[in-house]
Amino acid sequence: MFKPVSSNPDVTKVEQDQLTFWRERDILKRSMTEREGGPRYVFYEGPPTANGQPGTHHVLARAFKDMFPRYKTMRGFYSLRKGGWDTHGLPVEIAVEKELGIQHKHEIDEYGIAKFNERCRDSVFRYIKEWEELTERIAFWVDLDQAYVTFTNDYVQSVWWILRQFWDQGLLYQGYKVVPYCPRCGTPLSSHEVNLGYQDDTPDPSVFVRFRLKGKRNTYFLVWTTTPWTLPGNVALAVGEDVDYVKVRGRNAEGEVEHLILAEALIEYALGERAGDYKIEERLKGRDLVGTHYEPLYAFLPVEQDYAYVVAEDFVSTEEGSGIVHIAPAFGADDMDAGAKYDLPILQTVNPQGEFIAAVKPWAGVWVKDADPLISEELESRGLMFRSGTYYHTYPFCWRCDTPLLYYARQTWYVRTTARRDDLVGLNPTINWVPAHVRDGRFGNWLEGNVDWALGRERYWGTPLPVWTCDNEDCGYQHCIGGVGELGELAGRDLSDLDLHRPYVDAAGSTRCTRSARCCSGRCRSRT
């Protein structure tokens, strides 16, 4: 823990004298006021979270932050240095969950959202003294007397105003997509957050499964996956249209003749030690397999439309696996796109806690990763498991709680950042990057692969999304509110003192439906 300058034995007398000189003569303020007539350079600190203690990594980051306003001040700029405190979000919630012994999101509802959010509010400045001491000790010049605080109504309304600008430009929308999702925190993660949690050499199952062709007793598609838990949600198989496939003939473990279909380039990879026991009897192109039906591995959920057949997709490769990809639209972005293209069902067999739903009777309530070996054993018992092993790869974990992320279909809110992708990519070369390789490397690659920003977090202690939806099912009109004044006008009462957090904004935020084209008798309620 960092100690005050006056009582810290690690601070030399020269340093103490210098820091005391700056403090007593208010040098930070003078560095700004004496240059008020100069050109402006405005610095808003990316705010730290004061419910946790500062560490050495904050010293390094703040040293870099401090250089630029100092340099600009020396060049005659009026350099405003605005400090701030990040008081919202999951880091705060998780700290309070630990204090209360809460393990799952639903326990917060049982405890009470109002009480939980009050605990969060009380915790956010727990270590502010330590932060202020660190700030002085490292001589980080930033104005903390007028710092912005993210839980205040003024700050929340500034975010509402920005979201309203997105809304008016058609950039804020609600979509049903596959998102990286933390089942423990109960929230989707943005692509930036996912990048924070990748872990190398993560072990996962590597299973090659037989999918029996419909009407063909001993002929199978050989399919590889590292996520057996997604197999109950399978609705199709994907091949590469121009990929070379083969039908090979051999004998299974019981000595019966069987025929397997897989990519020719992956015979040794897929068949492993048994590759020499199988002989090619037919060669095909992927397009020859399209439309072929197979028998579903499972039928836990009712399906009305046609499914369980082969489709052609560009993402199929012959780098590893079998060259045939199993499609479960509820658990993969490419799978979801394929499902939409071919009108395939979405079989959501997993609940938001990452456990199988009741309809999946053999593994109901089981955490999906724990179900992997159980599913493999069940397939083995039916003679559908060709071979299994372990696959080590890079996999994303929640950077907050270290839970493996699931790619999971959910409805959430997005900012349509892809609508500005070309502008972002085009402007990137005009920026002077240090080091220069970041421009065309990590950051440039991220811009080019930009996906829409998953904005909703489906949590409690944060800025509520200001979208109100009419509760008349025949209407369903949605409206984004840009501030408390507009909300009060629509609600017909003064809401200037309303706490803009849940549950108060939900309870007090009912308004008349704002749909002017076709009036309805519905009320609009917040969807936070």
Side-chain angles (χ1 to χ4, degrees), residues 47-79:
T49 303
N51 77 320
Q53 294 192 40
T56 53
H57 59 293
H58 294 110
V59 177
L60 180 62
R62 287 179 143 200
F64 286 130
K65 293 176 184 178
D66 195 50
M67 287 193 300
F68 296 92
R70 284 182 186 269
Y71 171 73
K72 287 293 186 179
T73 299
M74 292 165 64
R75 296 294 300 272
F77 282 75
Y78 176 38
S79 297

Side-chain angles (χ1 to χ4, degrees), residues 133-402:
E133 290 170 356
L134 167 69
T135 302
E136 182 185 27
R137 171 66 185 89
I138 65 173
F140 176 37
W141 281 6
V142 64
D143 183 3
L144 293 179
D145 293 334
Q146 302 179 71
Y148 65 95
V149 179
T150 60
F151 73 57
T152 63
N153 273 11
D154 285 345
Y155 187 89
V156 168
Q157 287 191 84
S158 73
V159 178
W160 281 16
W161 181 87
I162 293 170
L163 293 174
R164 177 60 182 271
Q165 309 312 303
F166 290 158
W167 180 273
D168 290 343
Q169 296 175 52
L171 299 176
L172 182 65
Y173 71 97
Q174 191 175 30
Y176 186 71
K177 294 185 179 183
V178 172
V179 293
Y181 175 80
C182 175
R184 197 225 69 88
C185 296
T187 182
L189 280 75
S190 69
S191 58
H192 170 70
E193 290 176 306
V194 174
N195 287 335
L196 296 175
Y198 277 105
Q199 295 183 17
D200 295 331
D201 297 323
T202 301
D204 267 320
S206 172
V207 298
F208 290 85
V209 181
R210 298 177 175 96
F211 284 70
R212 183 180 290 113
L213 271 67
K214 202 162 189 176
K216 301 286 187 179
R217 181 173 175 272
N218 288 322
T219 302
Y220 306 88
F221 291 112
L222 189 61
V223 180
W224 179 63
T225 183
T226 60
T227 54
W229 65 267
T230 64
L231 291 172
N234 171 266
V235 297
L237 299 176
V239 298
E241 193 170 38
D242 295 319
V243 172
D244 293 318
Y245 290 86
V246 292
K247 181 191 292 184
V248 298
R249 182 178 185 275
R251 292 185 180 274
N252 61 23
E254 287 72 37
E256 299 176 322
V257 173
E258 69 174 358
H259 308 272
L260 303 176
I261 298 172
L262 69 160
E264 184 171 10
L266 291 167
I267 289 177
E268 292 188 4
Y269 188 101
L271 302 184
E273 295 178 353
R274 300 172 61 188
D277 300 333
Y278 286 79
K279 305 301 180 186
I280 296 175
E281 60 179 3
E282 185 178 357
R283 285 184 167 84
L284 314 99
K285 283 289 188 181
R287 66 177 65 90
D288 300 324
L289 300 170
V290 172
T292 304
H293 283 76
Y294 61 90
E295 297 177 9
L297 295 181
Y298 302 102
F300 295 123
L301 296 174
V303 178
E304 295 182 358
Q305 66 260 54
D306 187 26
Y307 81 119
Y309 58 85
V310 178
V311 301
E313 286 294 330
D314 293 338
F315 58 74
V316 178
S317 76
T318 56
E319 293 180 4
E320 56 187 0
S322 68
I324 303 176
V325 178
H326 111 81
I327 302 296
F331 308 118
D334 288 336
D335 304 49
M336 178 66 82
D337 290 342
K341 185 189 303 185
Y342 297 104
D343 190 30
L344 295 166
I346 299 173
L347 304 183
Q348 186 51 277
T349 55
V350 176
N351 68 21
Q353 290 74 50
E355 302 163 345
F356 278 111
I357 62 175
V360 186
K361 293 182 179 179
W363 310 293
V366 178
W367 160 243
V368 292
K369 293 290 186 178
D370 291 338
D372 276 342
L374 305 178
I375 293 171
S376 296
E377 289 171 12
E378 194 275 340
L379 292 170
E380 183 77 44
S381 70
R382 289 195 282 149
L384 296 178
M385 179 68 70
F386 181 79
R387 71 183 183 94
S388 63
T390 302
Y391 181 71
Y392 294 90
H393 60 152
T394 301
Y395 192 86
F397 289 72
C398 179
W399 65 277
R400 300 180 181 94
C401 69
D402 209 34

